[in-house]
């Protein structure tokens, strides 16, 4: 396997089907992808359990990128899944279109009144579509061809548009701990981080530096970077508590569920980061 970032030959990493590049620090996998192919009950339950964390992260991301996404921004959300990010962005006056290859997810997003293109980016994109912003929320790590996808962004982005990527990173504390455990023969946490055995496992694990290198070699410049840190904290509790549509008992239950999920899945804040890129020279 050749590194997608620096073209060095990658070596097998600690668990089967995963690889590491000693040249740049990029991780990749050849774990099987079975979208639209299997019953997804378990994964759907897990997704729903994660919803409070995802929403809190989306709200923080939208807060920190509010100046980049003014009222009337046309945004494409790649791999929009249930449409939760679009739901959050629309309340801030952003005009959202999703693209989603999983038929079940696409139908769910549609039934929630979102505008969704069925299929993969960029293959399913209509000719001439242009956006002020293109987002990848917990999606970029699932892409089979990161160079192809990054290059294609230039075709669908307005000249001054932004690409926002948020994803789990290999620089994170939990990923490092999981690798340390795998060295000792305990591979469960690392398998979990790769989402081994799920229909859409992670195919890449970027460090901040390798993601930046990928975008730079395609003609983008990093303009902002941050950590999504509102996971299972008092901030999350307050967001839940002060949403007037949620009663106190339900809020407490949601908060407890978020804390439990945080422990179970290892989704800690420092492992989730976001990156904003612009076309170089714009
Ligand atoms: Zn490399």
């Amino acid at each position: 396997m050749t590194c997608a970032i620096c073209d060095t030959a990658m070596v097998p990493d600690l668990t089967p089907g995963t690889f590491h590049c000693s040249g740049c620090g990029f991780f990749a996998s050849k774990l099987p992808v079975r979208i639209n192919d299997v019953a997804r009950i378990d994964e759907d339950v897990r997704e729903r359990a994660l919803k409070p964390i995802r929403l809190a992260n989306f709200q923080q991301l939208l807060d920190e990128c509010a100046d980049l996404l003014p009222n009337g921004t046309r945004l494409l959300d790649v791999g929009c899944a249930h449409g939760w990010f679009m739901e959050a962005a629309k309340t801030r006056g952003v005009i959202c279109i999703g693209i989603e290859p999983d038929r079940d997810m696409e139908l769910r997003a549609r039934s929630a009144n979102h505008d969704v293109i069925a299929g993969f980016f960029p293959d399913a994109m209509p000719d001439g579509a242009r956006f002020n912003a293109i987002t990848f929320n917990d999606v970029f790590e699932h892409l089979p061809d990161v160079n192809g996808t990054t290059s294609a962004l230039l075709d669908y982005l307005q000249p001054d548009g932004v690409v926002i990527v948020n994803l789990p990173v290999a620089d994170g504390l939990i990923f490092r701990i999981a690798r340390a455990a795998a060295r000792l023969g305990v591979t469960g946490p690392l398998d979990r981080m790769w989402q081994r055995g799920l229909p859409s496992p992670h195919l890449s694990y970027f460090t901040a530096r390798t993601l930046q290198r990928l975008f730079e070699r395609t003609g983008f410049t990093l303009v902002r970077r941050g950590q999504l840190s509102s996971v299972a904290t008092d901030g999350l509790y307050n967001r839940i508590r002060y949403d007037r549509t949620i009663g106190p008992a339900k809020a407490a239950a949601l908060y407890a569920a978020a804390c439990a999920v945080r422990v179970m899945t290892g989704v800690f804040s420092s492992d989730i980061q976001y990156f904003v890129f612009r076309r170089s020279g714009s």
Side-chain angles (χ1 to χ4, degrees), residues 172-248:
L173 178 64
I174 305 308
F175 190 80
R176 288 164 195 255
I177 292 173
R179 289 194 83 238
R183 277 201 195 86
L184 300 172
V186 180
T187 56
L190 192 56
D191 285 341
R192 194 82 181 92
M193 300 206 75
W194 281 105
Q195 301 192 355
R196 180 187 297 276
L198 292 181
S200 183
H202 294 177
L203 301 181
S204 300
Y205 246 104
F206 290 89
T207 60
R209 183 70 200 117
T210 50
L211 187 70
Q212 191 177 345
R213 263 181 89 163
L214 171 72
F215 274 82
E216 279 173 354
R217 82 184 216 168
T218 318
F220 289 92
T221 303
L222 180 71
V223 294
R224 190 172 301 177
R225 175 184 169 191
Q227 300 207 352
L228 296 180
S229 56
S230 62
V231 175
T233 63
D234 291 347
L236 173 61
Y237 181 75
N238 287 334
R239 280 180 201 286
I240 295 169
R241 182 65 191 88
Y242 293 110
D243 182 332
R244 285 169 174 276
T245 63
I246 302 175

